[in-house]
Amino acid sequence: MQTSAATPTEKFLPFMREVTRYESALRELNLMWRLIESSAKMNCPEEARSILPMMSATREGFQQLETELVHSLVGESIGQVMAELGTSARHVIDIVVRNLYERTADVGFLATDQDLCRFVAGLDTDQGAVLMRLREYRNKYTVYDEIMLLDCKGAVVAQIDETSPVEGTQDALLARTLKSDGFVESFGPTDLRPGKRHALLYSHRMLHPQTREPVGVLCLSFAFADEMQGIFQARSHGQQRQIPLLLDSGHRVIASGDPLWIPVGAQVPVNEAGAPALQVHAGRAYLVQTVAAAGYQGYPGPAGWRGQVMAPVDLAFSGEPSQVLDQLEPGVGHGLLSHARHFCPPLHAIVNAADTIRRVVWNGQVMTGREHQDVVRLKAVLEQIGETGALTNEVFGRSIRELYGTVLMSSMRDGELLTQLLVDLLDRNLYERANDCRWWALAPELRALLADGRPEARTPEGVANVQRILEHINGLYTVYARLMVYDREGRIIASSRPTLDDGRSVVGMHIEQDTLAAVLAMKDTQSYHVAPWQASAFYGGRSTYVYHAAVRAPGDEGAVVGGIGIVFNAEEEFEAMLRGALATKSRTRSFFLGRDGAVLSSADPRVPVGTVLSVPEDMLAVASGRSLSRAIVHEGEYCIVACAASHGYREFKVCDGYREDVLALSVQSFGAQVPGALEAAQRRHATLLSEAGTGEGREMATFFIGDSIFALPAAHVVEALPVAQIARVSAAGLPCCMGTVPLRSNGKVLEYAWVFDVHELLTGRPGTRSAQSQVIVAQDGGTVVGLLVCELHSVVHFAAANIFPAPGLSGLGGAVVTELIKANGGRTLVQCLNVSRLVRLLRGTREPQGPLPEAA
């Protein structure tokens, strides 16, 4: 085994075919820009003097952006895989630990069962009755593959696995258990489970009912291999790109999701720090995430156990291409991207850099569009700039889209994994509740107390004894608010923690009639009933589940004489599940919901239980065991919303007749909804077809004002500048004036141009400034002005036949829009601004401290 040191882009890039294609395209463009610049310097250095700085800036900016873009694509791809591996590894160990926590309570309670204790102590000799009782337990708690009773010398006095008979044991767990007051957890090979490579046993000493001296040991054998395969298969989703593992303290595999590649017993490299370094095992390179147990309810889990997921690096990045952006509403996609600064700073920086390149390319296309008939060689260079600029915009657009899709897909996948974990934890937890109520209903003390049926026949001692039993159980199983025993009339005669928050006692209260009818109609000891999720008087008026089972008269086929109801502490337990899963997710909220969208539990204090959340219909209807995720606007914010539906565990909710789906919902917020995001997205997708080669025509520089496309003759455009260059200076009340921008030549500021908000000039309402806003510097004779526009579009050649005079328009628009262009075959109408009229209009207003500045 060995670990690679650094993680440079070059190390992972060969495994990312899609990123490699983008890198190749970007390098080709970089070479093209270099060739154009070199050609201009060699063939027409004097004529190209004015554009060489622009070309140099383009090349340098492009080269930097190329490096950053490829680096970010690689980094985000690695981050997505590592995050998914880490989440999956945490799920493996968390589910194992929570499951085993229940085993520690089970063995402690069953070891006090008086029928079993009397048998081990020799006070009773009916082995058949004991075996029947143990099988009853196994039928309800199906996570055990063996239950054994041992005497103090290690002889097996009862076991239920007839296929693997054992006479006795020399295992050291016997002595350890007899000396311990609590449970003993053992994992490894043992003579108690011959033929198995290792077994996970929970043992507890048993005491003499009268002397309270140790008389033997109870052993519960957890069906470890079956349980681990169930955990692994639930997370495979048909993918073979990840191998989930469970490790011991020596980093040896004790359970494998793919034993053909990584067998049980293999020692593997670990990565608890989460660094994206390549790990080599058995000659193959892997990405690895290792997660230690966080513990549950004070139980840390078996010492040193870790959850781990390993992905072969040659398969880790070979998933299907993400279609997430194709499924986004355009406004949501653009609005989310505006918050990239917070959720993916590299993406934000690249988008800004790409906008800068687009502006430089637009400026180059403006130069191309001017008349240079007398300079043939420069004309050829400018045409190459225009063509290469268009290709650059296209490649950057695709590359940024890929990076953006990778970032979103990572969040969506993480949301689905989170919600899948939550419904899995919930089902596994509630499975135990269905088992508990059925098993405790078989307690001889409860059956004896209710056997007569007449209240006067119940002795105070009998009621007090049952009360003590219920309190003892509730002390071991802290997930319950209370445990109640009631008679055939539904009257509660004993309860643990009987006092409600308002001071009343539940003793003497009655079970709901529909619940009582369901309990009295139960046909066998495997039956149980769950009161639907609703406010319960036995839970202080809060909503919860109450699990019920019938208590039968003594005897194998005893008639139903009452029941037991166990009140699940849903508020605390559900919230603990939600908050535990969100330990490292500060921007994510999670909820348990019913199919109607009503909140059963909330990790967000602003959303109380009972609130009905606005969730897409298809998410509320997601199939059992499946999950969905998408980016939407939720409560005024851009969010990744993921939802998963419960699917049951073992026989619970699968084949036992009970079904009540619960949904887990996660909401990861990215920022407030941005006004005008849909319009901005539509602007980005607007196209204008060039009509070059169709005869006489004009080169027009196009841009957006609001949602409409406007144009200026390229011959009147000096350049476009970023909106950030506007300096706010006093305009002495000049309407629509935003300030000034500097006009530079060879890096020196020669003049300043006043900047005017064209949107406000035309509509009377100020335009919306954004990161895409630009200042177009236009020239009329010796006068220049800056025009604030929403976004640049392109420089296009339009045929003269499609340019026609504009009809008389009302307001200032009629004064400055003198021509219209039929573009895209007449489907798009472009408004042409008349620069001369626009300048005269601005001169006609009250001037600030002097005339408009002359052109540089």
Side-chain angles (χ1 to χ4, degrees):
M1 295 182 296
Q2 66 184 57
T3 302
S4 61
T7 59
T9 297
E10 291 78 9
K11 182 167 290 187
F12 290 99
L13 189 57
F15 303 104
M16 303 177 185
R17 291 189 291 273
E18 194 68 23
V19 179
T20 302
R21 283 195 289 270
Y22 287 123
E23 183 199 34
S24 177
L26 289 167
R27 283 185 175 176
E28 289 180 9
L29 282 172
N30 195 346
L31 178 60
M32 292 173 68
W33 280 112
R34 287 179 178 274
L35 288 174
I36 293 171
E37 184 180 6
S38 299
S39 177
K41 287 180 178 178
M42 289 187 296
N43 297 325
C44 50
E46 291 300 321
E47 298 90 338
R49 184 187 307 165
S50 62
I51 66 169
L52 284 174
M54 177 277 296
M55 295 178 63
S56 178
T58 302
R59 177 180 52 76
E60 292 173 1
F62 184 92
Q63 186 170 347
Q64 180 181 358
L65 185 55
E66 175 202 354
T67 302
E68 292 178 354
L69 189 52
V70 172
H71 180 77
S72 294
L73 280 167
V74 172
E76 288 299 328
S77 296
I78 296 171
Q80 179 184 14
V81 171
M82 293 300 290
E84 186 172 335
L85 296 182
T87 300
S88 297
R90 183 170 300 283
H91 290 186
V92 168
I93 192 63
D94 281 354
I95 289 173
V96 168
V97 168
R98 286 171 180 262
N99 194 321
L100 299 187
Y101 164 76
E102 299 283 351
R103 313 291 65 92
T104 66
D106 287 350
V107 71
F109 177 69
L110 190 58
T112 64
D113 185 282
Q114 290 304 292
D115 286 356
L116 303 182
C117 289
R118 289 178 61 82
F119 176 76
V120 174
L123 302 179
D124 290 335
T125 57
D126 189 349
Q127 188 182 52
V130 167
L131 290 175
M132 182 179 296
R133 185 157 179 78
L134 294 180
R135 291 191 183 103
E136 278 275 14
Y137 192 86
R138 169 63 177 78
N139 290 342
K140 293 164 180 59
Y141 297 87
T142 56
V143 294
Y144 299 114
D145 56 19
E146 172 69 296
I147 304 176
M148 312 176 82
L149 301 179
L150 314 175
D151 65 17
C152 289
K153 295 181 179 180
V156 176
V157 296
Q159 70 172 115
I160 62 172
D161 185 0
E162 298 176 351
T163 64
S164 182
V166 177
E167 293 185 359
T169 182
Q170 299 297 318
D171 197 307
L173 76 82
L174 179 68
R176 288 169 53 214
T177 305
L178 288 171
K179 293 178 181 178
S180 175
D181 290 334
F183 73 90
V184 172
E185 186 176 61
S186 307
F187 181 78
T190 175
D191 55 7
L192 287 170
R193 300 298 285 147
K196 291 184 177 293
R197 181 168 185 162
H198 46 225
L200 180 56
L201 302 179
Y202 288 84
S203 55
H204 201 289
R205 70 182 183 184
M206 305 175 74
L207 304 180
H208 194 288
Q210 298 166 358
T211 66
R212 310 306 295 167
E213 292 295 319
V215 292
V217 168
L218 167 74
C219 284
L220 298 178
S221 175
F222 182 64
F224 176 73
D226 291 345
E227 177 66 15
M228 293 310 303
Q229 284 307 112
I231 292 173
F232 294 152
Q233 290 173 6
R235 272 151 187 80
S236 66
H237 305 290
Q239 298 180 7
Q240 302 300 320
R241 295 185 295 124
Q242 300 178 1
I243 304 174
L245 307 168
L246 187 66
L247 310 182
D248 65 13
S249 58
H251 304 165
R252 292 193 179 277
V253 177
I254 54 179
S256 172
D258 192 343
L260 293 178
W261 274 109
I262 303 181
V264 172
Q267 190 169 29
V268 294
V270 299
N271 181 23
E272 294 190 71
L278 290 180
Q279 312 273 0
V280 178
H281 171 70
R284 197 177 193 189
Y286 292 87
L287 286 170
V288 179
Q289 283 278 38
T290 313
V291 177
Y296 180 66
Q297 302 277 30
Y299 168 66
W305 280 20
R306 302 284 190 272
Q308 178 159 303
V309 179
M310 301 174 67
V313 70
D314 53 323
L315 300 178
F317 307 102
S318 61
E320 291 295 322
S322 172
Q323 304 298 319
V324 60
L325 294 182
D326 296 332
Q327 301 163 4
L328 277 183
E329 294 180 14
V332 173
H334 190 85
L336 261 171
L337 192 57
S338 67
H339 292 288
R341 181 197 306 270
H342 306 293
F343 67 84
C344 184
L347 176 60
H348 171 75
I350 287 169
V351 168
N352 285 348
D355 284 340
T356 300
I357 295 295
R358 288 193 189 97
R359 181 175 61 253
V360 173
V361 169
W362 190 88
N363 285 335
Q365 291 171 328
V366 165
M367 292 181 182
T368 305
R370 295 176 188 158
E371 296 299 326
H372 295 279
Q373 291 87 347
D374 56 334
V375 190
V376 176
R377 288 175 296 182
L378 180 59
K379 180 71 173 179
V381 170
L382 293 174
E383 287 176 352
Q384 285 296 313
I385 290 176
E387 293 174 6
T388 306
L391 184 57
T392 298
N393 286 338
E394 180 185 348
V395 173
F396 275 156
R398 292 202 311 267
S399 303
I400 290 173
R401 180 179 173 84
E402 176 71 16
L403 176 57
Y404 186 22
T406 299
V407 172
L408 288 187
M409 192 62 201
S410 178
S411 294
M412 293 170 72
R413 181 65 183 144
D414 192 58
E416 290 193 44
L417 288 173
L418 171 64
T419 54
Q420 290 165 4
L421 169 67
L422 287 171
V423 291
D424 204 355
L425 291 176
L426 180 138
D427 282 338
R428 288 165 176 269
N429 192 306
L430 299 185
Y431 157 85
E432 304 287 349
R433 315 298 61 98
N435 298 340
D436 290 347
C437 70
R438 292 179 294 170
W439 174 249
W440 296 334
L442 299 179
E445 294 84 355
L446 273 62
R447 301 173 75 175
L449 181 67
L450 298 175
D452 193 300
R454 295 173 301 160
E456 61 271 16
R458 300 173 194 137
T459 65
E461 293 80 8
V463 172
N465 186 41
V466 167
Q467 183 81 21
R468 282 193 298 271
I469 292 172
L470 297 180
E471 293 287 2
H472 173 65
I473 296 172
N474 214 163
L476 290 172
Y477 295 81
T478 57
V479 298
Y480 298 112
R482 55 185 46 85
L483 286 64
M484 311 171 296
V485 174
Y486 49 90
D487 58 21
R488 282 187 60 88
E489 283 67 48
R491 183 177 181 274
I492 298 171
I493 60 176
S495 172
S496 64
R497 304 174 185 172
T499 306
L500 295 169
D501 293 342
D502 60 7
R504 294 181 300 154
S505 174
V506 299
V507 175
M509 297 174 66
H510 284 75
I511 300 297
E512 301 89 347
Q513 283 301 309
D514 56 345
T515 296
L516 180 62
V519 171
L520 295 178
M522 289 180 181
K523 296 180 178 180
D524 54 43
T525 58
Q526 287 296 101
S527 301
Y528 68 95
H529 171 77
V530 186
W533 179 268
Q534 59 189 3
S536 173
F538 309 120
Y539 194 48
R542 294 167 292 167
S543 295
T544 189
Y545 292 118
V546 182
Y547 289 76
H548 296 265
V551 176
R552 299 176 181 274
D556 293 346
E557 301 296 331
V560 176
V561 293
I564 181 171
I566 57 179
V567 183
F568 181 56
N569 188 5
E571 184 175 80
E572 291 185 16
E573 296 303 316
F574 282 173
E575 188 173 338
M577 291 181 205
L578 295 174
R579 294 195 180 281
L582 294 176
T584 60
K585 304 179 187 298
S586 59
R587 291 190 290 116
T588 302
R589 299 170 289 156
S590 62
F591 311 89
F592 285 127
L593 308 178
R595 284 286 188 185
D596 59 354
V599 174
L600 311 185
S601 182
S602 169
D604 184 349
R606 299 169 299 176
V607 182
V609 171
T611 303
V612 177
L613 291 180
S614 177
V615 180
E617 287 296 326
D618 61 335
M619 284 193 165
L620 293 179
V622 63
S624 176
R626 305 301 295 270
S627 59
L628 290 174
S629 62
R630 67 172 55 116
I632 61 174
V633 175
H634 179 75
E635 297 180 350
E637 294 185 329
Y638 297 113
C639 300
I640 298 293
V641 177
C643 184
S646 59
H647 54 88
Y649 172 63
R650 292 185 175 267
E651 68 281 355
F652 176 68
K653 289 187 181 181
V654 176
C655 59
D656 63 356
Y658 172 60
R659 182 68 177 270
E660 181 163 312
D661 290 342
V662 175
L663 307 179
L665 187 81
S666 73
V667 180
Q668 183 181 4
S669 175
F670 287 85
Q673 187 174 4
V674 177
L678 176 59
E679 293 76 9
Q682 291 170 340
R683 290 197 294 267
R684 277 294 167 99
H685 291 89
T687 59
L688 291 175
L689 301 179
S690 177
E691 298 167 347
T694 58
E696 292 297 322
R698 277 188 277 170
E699 298 288 336
M700 305 295 288
T702 63
F703 47 90
F704 287 95
I705 299 174
D707 302 329
S708 301
I709 301 179
F710 284 75
L712 282 170
H716 287 279
V717 175
V718 179
E719 63 177 328
L721 297 172
V723 71
Q725 289 198 14
I726 297 177
R728 289 191 174 277
V729 296
S730 174
L734 183 65
C736 309
C737 188
M738 308 294 296
T740 64
V741 290
L743 303 179
R744 292 182 172 87
S745 178
N746 296 323
K748 297 180 179 179
V749 176
L750 301 182
E751 297 285 353
Y752 289 89
W754 291 103
V755 179
F756 298 89
D757 184 346
V758 186
H759 187 279
E760 184 177 4
L761 185 68
L762 297 178
T763 68
R765 300 185 307 276
T768 301
R769 289 180 58 172
S770 69
Q772 287 72 46
S773 297
Q774 306 284 336
V775 176
I776 295 177
V777 180
Q779 177 176 326
D780 178 51
T783 303
V784 291
V785 292
L787 307 176
L788 178 66
V789 302
C790 292
E791 190 168 349
L792 300 177
H793 189 269
S794 57
V795 180
V796 186
H797 180 90
F798 293 108
N802 291 324
I803 304 174
F804 58 95
L809 301 175
S810 61
L812 291 178
V816 296
V817 177
T818 57
E819 291 179 313
L820 300 177
I821 302 172
K822 289 182 180 178
N824 299 337
R827 297 187 301 274
T828 305
L829 203 62
V830 179
Q831 303 177 62
C832 301
L833 293 179
N834 187 305
V835 180
S836 297
R837 288 197 178 189
L838 185 61
V839 170
R840 286 200 300 271
L841 176 66
L842 296 175
R843 283 186 178 279
T845 59
R846 184 163 58 87
E847 295 185 355
Q849 301 177 4
L852 294 173
E854 295 301 309

